[in-house]
Amino acid sequence: MWKVAMSEEVGKAVQSVLERVKQAAARRPKTLPAVPPRLVAVSKTKPPEMIVEAYRQGQRNFGENYVNELVDKASDPLILESCPEIKWHFIGHLQKNNVNKLLGVPNLFLVETIDSAKLADKVNSSWQRLRGAGSQRLKVMVQVNTSGEQSKHGLPPEDTVNTVKHIVSQCSALHFSGLMTIGRYGYDLTLGPNPDFQMLLSRRQEVCEGLKLPMEEVELSMGMSTDFEHAIEVGATNVRVGSIIFGNREYPNSALNTPNPSPLPSPAPSPEKTAKTVSEEAAKKMHHLTVSEH
């Protein structure tokens, strides 16, 4: 019974989020590139069965934060058999000593967290060595620390253009796909547009002007469970949503692992998200924000 209920809940949640993504995209200003937003279902700590169920609902892009967990899931027999067209996104901090392990993942689609030219060089050389000269280039994003918090990884914003230039000119095995940020948790939208998202928008403009790139070819990965609709409204093309699809994350040996008869507990931030979530009032107000590209 639990698995049947779980399947139904995950299926309904995926469809609900996809509908919200579609509606948020329709509210975007016409001045923004008309790129359909991509939903990345963040499946960290969740079992393969849940991923398969989301896949059955048409979901193809899945995100993982930890290399070892991604390696295990991507090579899981159930996922290999049931999800042949799955696209894995790596969205966690990548250490150089884990690059080779990550790049061996089958169906690796996008590494969203390149945060230095040195890391880009390592990923570039490893991809060439592991996949061969004739292989398709690996899609990467540059992670920017828009909030300036020491607890967050990512480039200082002022280093964005030079790092992207390095990837485009020096890393022939990589395809620069866009910019990514995590931003501060729990920002109150009644105060106005999220400044971290605005920062990423302005960095994209600098990158496009500096490298003569079309705006629609530089993606923006920003927005999570509590703020993905606002992120899409101001220009996100890639949103990373976990808890409202799969339920609260389950960490081993954690007080969070209390028995719960519901397959999908009421969504709540994972432990690192200690700040308050967006209020209903803020969610209503954010639809009426007029946001400029600059």
Side-chain angles (χ1 to χ4, degrees), residues 154-208:
L155 285 170
E158 60 271 18
D159 292 350
T160 305
V161 174
N162 284 340
T163 304
V164 173
K165 277 183 180 175
H166 178 85
I167 292 171
V168 171
S169 63
Q170 304 296 323
C171 299
S172 60
L174 305 183
H175 174 75
F176 169 67
S177 295
L179 305 176
M180 177 266 208
T181 192
I182 295 174
R184 59 178 64 77
Y185 294 122
Y187 175 75
D188 184 354
L189 286 168
T190 61
L191 302 175
N194 187 316
D196 292 316
F197 298 167
Q198 295 301 304
M199 170 75 78
L200 206 65
L201 282 161
S202 66
R203 294 301 164 186
R204 176 174 70 174
Q205 181 147 344
E206 290 177 7
V207 166
C208 290

Side-chain angles (χ1 to χ4, degrees), residues 183-246:
R184 59 178 64 77
Y185 294 122
Y187 175 75
D188 184 354
L189 286 168
T190 61
L191 302 175
N194 187 316
D196 292 316
F197 298 167
Q198 295 301 304
M199 170 75 78
L200 206 65
L201 282 161
S202 66
R203 294 301 164 186
R204 176 174 70 174
Q205 181 147 344
E206 290 177 7
V207 166
C208 290
E209 289 173 354
L211 279 74
K212 304 293 188 289
L213 295 174
M215 196 85 75
E216 59 272 14
E217 290 183 12
V218 181
E219 291 202 47
L220 295 177
S221 177
M222 57 190 194
M224 297 185 282
S225 286
T226 59
D227 56 9
F228 72 93
E229 287 160 300
H230 172 61
I232 290 170
E233 287 173 8
V234 300
T237 62
N238 190 84
V239 292
R240 311 176 303 271
V241 177
S243 59
I244 59 175
I245 294 176
F246 298 114

